[in-house]
C-alpha cells in the first residue's frame, strides 16, 4: 500500500465464513492538509473471471441461469439470474480459471480466449477484480452437459440465445447481471457478432 494520504491504523475480521469481511480504520489526508479518521468494511471474496461465448456463424451466445440468494433477498422473485459464465480464480491465473469454469458450467472446451479488460465490480464494498474474456464456440466444442460442479452445490442451466435476443433482454430487464451486460455491450460495440 503506497498512497501517502492513507494510513491504515486497524483491521478487524468481522466474519470469516464463506469469504472474509473486514472493518478497516484508517486516516485520510484531506485537501486542506488535515487528517480525518474513517472506517469502512471491505468484503474479500477473491478475484474472478467471466467470459462471453459467442458464435459468429449462428449469431448466438451461451449464457447460464442459476439461483443467486442475494438477488432473491433483494426483490428478484425467483432468485434466478441469467448471466455469463464466471468463477473465482482460486489459485489459477485468470485464463486458466475461465477455461476451467467454461467447461464446468457450460460443457464447452474452448480453444482461443481473448482478454478484454479488468473491472472492480463494486469498489465501495468488495475487493474483487473481475477479468473479462470472450471466446468463439462451435457445436463440436461441446464435451459434456455442463451445469457446474455438484460438490460446489452448483445447479446451472446452460442457455443458448440469439445475440439480438440476449442483447434486448437487457432493456426488458430479463438480464440484470452487470458482468453479462458489460460483455453483451462490448460484443455489440465491437461487432463481435
Amino acid at each position: 500500500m503506497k498512497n501517502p494520504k492513507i494510513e491504515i491504523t486497524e483491521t478487524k475480521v468481522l466474519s470469516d465464513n464463506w469469504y472474509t469481511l473486514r472493518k478497516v480504520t484508517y486516516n485520510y489526508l484531506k485537501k486542506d492538509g488535515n487528517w480525518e479518521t474513517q472506517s469502512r468494511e471491505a468484503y474479500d471474496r477473491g478475484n474472478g473471471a467471466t467470459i462471453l461465448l459467442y458464435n459468429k456463424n449462428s449469431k448466438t451466445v451461451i449464457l447460464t441461469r442459476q439461483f443467486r440468494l442475494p438477488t432473491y433477498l433483494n426483490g428478484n422473485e425467483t432468485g434466478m439470474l441469467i448471466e455469463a459464465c464466471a468463477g473465482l480464480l482460486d489459485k489459477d491465473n485468470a485464463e486458466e480459471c475461465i477455461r476451467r469454469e467454461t467447461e464446468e458450467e457450460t460443457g464447452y472446451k474452448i480453444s482461443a480466449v481473448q482478454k478484454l479488460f479488468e473491472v472492480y465490480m463494486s469498489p465501495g464494498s468488495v475487493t474483487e477484480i473481475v477479468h473479462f474474456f470472450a471466446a468463439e464456440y462451435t457445436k463440436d466444442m461441446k464435451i459434456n452437459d455442463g451445469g457446474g460442479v455438484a460438490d460446489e452445490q452448483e445447479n446451472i442451466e446452460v442457455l443458448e440465445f440469439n445475440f439480438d435476443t440476449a442483447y434486448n433482454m437487457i432493456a426488458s430487464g430479463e438480464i440484470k447481471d452487470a458482468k453479462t451486460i458489460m460483455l453483451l455491450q462490448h460484443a455489440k460495440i465491437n461487432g463481435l457478432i
Side-chain angles (χ1 to χ4, degrees), residues 55 58 60-63 108 137 139 158-162:
N55 184 303
S58 63
T60 54
V61 293
I62 299 292
L63 299 175
Y108 284 89
Y137 76 93
K139 295 289 184 197
V158 181
L159 309 170
E160 185 173 38
F161 290 107
N162 170 277

Side-chain angles (χ1 to χ4, degrees), residues 18-148:
W18 194 254
Y19 301 112
T20 305
L21 177 63
R22 292 180 178 89
K23 181 177 181 180
V24 179
T25 303
Y26 58 96
N27 294 323
Y28 180 85
L29 183 60
K30 300 187 314 180
K31 289 181 187 179
D32 66 7
N34 291 312
W35 288 91
E36 178 178 72
T37 300
Q38 297 182 3
S39 187
R40 300 287 187 275
E41 293 176 5
Y43 189 56
D44 185 355
R45 59 183 303 267
N47 295 325
T50 186
I51 192 165
L52 180 66
L53 299 177
Y54 66 95
N55 184 303
K56 281 185 180 183
N57 295 329
S58 63
K59 298 185 180 349
T60 54
V61 293
I62 299 292
L63 299 175
T64 64
R65 180 177 14 236
Q66 61 184 306
F67 179 75
R68 296 297 197 182
L69 177 65
T71 74
Y72 186 67
L73 297 174
N74 195 23
N76 178 355
E77 290 183 10
T78 65
M80 302 303 284
L81 205 63
I82 296 173
E83 55 190 290
C85 171
L88 293 177
L89 300 188
D90 298 323
K91 300 204 186 301
D92 292 336
N93 69 43
E95 187 174 323
E96 289 170 350
C97 166
I98 205 56
R99 287 178 184 280
R100 180 191 72 242
E101 290 294 333
T102 298
E103 192 172 322
E104 289 174 1
E105 290 189 8
T106 70
Y108 284 89
K109 187 172 184 76
I110 52 175
S111 50
V113 298
Q114 177 188 5
K115 177 82 178 267
L116 303 175
F117 45 83
E118 298 174 10
V119 175
Y120 287 102
M121 294 298 289
S122 188
S125 58
V126 181
T127 61
E128 179 184 36
I129 294 173
V130 178
H131 302 263
F132 284 68
F133 293 89
E136 288 192 65
Y137 76 93
T138 58
K139 295 289 184 197
D140 62 333
M141 292 177 176
K142 184 89 167 160
I143 61 168
N144 63 56
D145 291 336

